[in-house]
Amino acid sequence: MSVRFFRSFHGRFTSAMFAPRKPRHPALRALLGVVGVLLLAVLLVAGVFVGLAMLAGGLVARLLRRRGKPQAAAGRVVDAEYHVVPKAGEPLLR
C-alpha cells in the first residue's frame, strides 16, 4: 500500500466521523433544538444553586471561625476625634 492511500484514507473518514451534522427532518431538528435549550436551562439553574451553596458554605465557615473569639462589648468602644487631611495641591478653605 502506498503512502498516498493512507493520506486519502485519513482525510476522508476522520473528517466525516467528527463533523457535527444537523438532522434533515424538520421535526427532529426542532426537537433537538428544544432539548438543547432545556439542557442549557438545567445547567444554568444548577450553576446558580452551586454558587448559592458555595456562598452559604463560606458564610457558615466564617461564622464558625469567629465562634470562640470574643467580640467587642458595648462598653469597650473607643471614642476618638479626627480631622480630614487635605489632598496635596488643594487650597485650604479656612
Side-chain angles (χ1 to χ4, degrees), residues 10-11 17 23-24 38 44 52 54-55 57 74-75 82 86 89 92:
H10 175 72
M17 192 181 339
R24 292 185 182 190
L38 288 176
L44 178 72
L52 288 175
M54 289 174 68
L55 287 173
Y82 68 94
L92 294 176

Side-chain angles (χ1 to χ4, degrees), residues 43-65:
L43 290 174
L44 178 72
V45 169
V48 167
F49 280 119
V50 166
L52 288 175
M54 289 174 68
L55 287 173
L59 289 174
V60 167
R62 179 178 283 186
L63 289 174
L64 289 177
R65 253 188 273 142

Side-chain angles (χ1 to χ4, degrees), residues 1-12:
M1 297 200 169
S2 68
V3 175
R4 187 175 180 190
F5 171 76
F6 286 113
R7 284 185 187 162
S8 65
F9 176 78
H10 175 72
R12 207 173 358 161

Side-chain angles (χ1 to χ4, degrees), residues 61-73 76:
R62 179 178 283 186
L63 289 174
L64 289 177
R65 253 188 273 142
R66 287 189 189 174
R67 200 160 139 205
K69 296 181 181 176
Q71 302 214 351
R76 297 187 61 195

